[in-house]
Amino acid sequence: MSKTVARRGTSLGRGLVIGLCATQALDWVSILLYEGESAATRATENRVRGDRQAYEVAVERMATRAGRKLSEDEVKRWGWRFHKTFGLLGGLGYLGLRRAFPRLRWGCGLAFGSAFFLLVDELMVPLQGLTPGPQAFSWKVHARGAAAHLAYGMAAEATARLFDGADRR
């Protein structure tokens, strides 16, 4: 096996591990903060979202375009898988971006987490019609999203640094 192929395989595996750790951190923070919110705040957010997460809307839209109608259970199940896959692939993206733009490592990944939150959650997701625009949600929803994405960035960078340390040994 050539060194280039081996290096690509190593980068792929590392990127997926980074994405796995970062997505788990994002989920833990998001769920913890969501469960700590009042029932009224959660109910308002769910109503504004139409009781659907952005990833569930995306999955249902893809299925419809493919000519398939999903049950409510399938939308939930495949939506969660879509969310996890997006997070895993985000780890690959982070690994490449941190090499090209070392400043994304700033604050142990806080720069990346901030950029990811602003560009994806606050801009791209509403522009794709996966959620209503940012003004539809309370500050608490935005704060939870920001905290979760900061956790993603920090976990991504911390995991990448573990790999960097292993390479130096």
Side-chain angles (χ1 to χ4, degrees), residues 160-169:
R161 287 181 185 186
L162 287 173
F163 286 126
D164 290 347
D167 289 343
R168 284 192 283 274
R169 284 187 251 153

Side-chain angles (χ1 to χ4, degrees), residues 18-35 49 53 55 80 82-88 90-91 112-114 116-118 120-121 142-156 159:
I18 289 167
L20 177 67
C21 293
T23 301
Q24 195 60 53
L26 178 142
D27 288 342
W28 283 341
V29 168
S30 185
I31 291 167
L32 178 71
L33 293 175
Y34 180 81
E35 289 176 350
R49 287 185 194 280
Q53 297 291 333
Y55 45 82
W80 187 247
F82 180 88
H83 163 72
K84 290 295 194 178
T85 301
F86 192 80
L88 285 170
F112 177 77
S114 299
F116 193 15
F117 169 69
L118 291 172
V120 176
D121 260 28
H142 296 288
R144 177 176 14 98
H149 284 84
L150 291 174
Y152 183 99
M154 291 176 67
T159 307

Side-chain angles (χ1 to χ4, degrees), residues 11-143:
S11 291
L12 175 65
R14 287 179 177 190
L16 292 174
V17 169
I18 289 167
L20 177 67
C21 293
T23 301
Q24 195 60 53
L26 178 142
D27 288 342
W28 283 341
V29 168
S30 185
I31 291 167
L32 178 71
L33 293 175
Y34 180 81
E35 289 176 350
E37 291 175 353
S38 72
T41 299
R42 290 193 311 257
T44 300
E45 177 187 355
N46 290 334
R47 184 179 36 72
V48 168
R49 287 185 194 280
D51 291 316
R52 287 277 166 94
Q53 297 291 333
Y55 45 82
E56 294 168 344
V57 175
V59 162
E60 189 169 46
R61 191 178 291 168
M62 287 186 289
T64 299
R65 288 188 180 146
R68 182 139 194 275
K69 173 79 172 127
L70 298 178
S71 71
E72 200 60 36
D73 285 344
E74 288 173 317
V75 169
K76 296 266 184 231
R77 187 171 50 252
W78 286 103
W80 187 247
R81 290 172 181 166
F82 180 88
H83 163 72
K84 290 295 194 178
T85 301
F86 192 80
L88 285 170
L89 296 177
L92 287 169
Y94 181 71
L95 188 59
L97 286 169
R98 82 185 282 272
R99 288 179 185 148
F101 305 101
R103 287 183 186 211
L104 287 178
R105 302 173 190 184
W106 175 83
C108 191
L110 289 175
F112 177 77
S114 299
F116 193 15
F117 169 69
L118 291 172
L119 293 173
V120 176
D121 260 28
E122 296 292 298
L123 186 63
M124 289 175 51
V125 169
L127 285 176
Q128 292 295 314
L130 301 175
T131 63
Q135 293 180 336
F137 298 101
S138 79
W139 69 270
K140 294 174 187 176
V141 175
H142 296 288

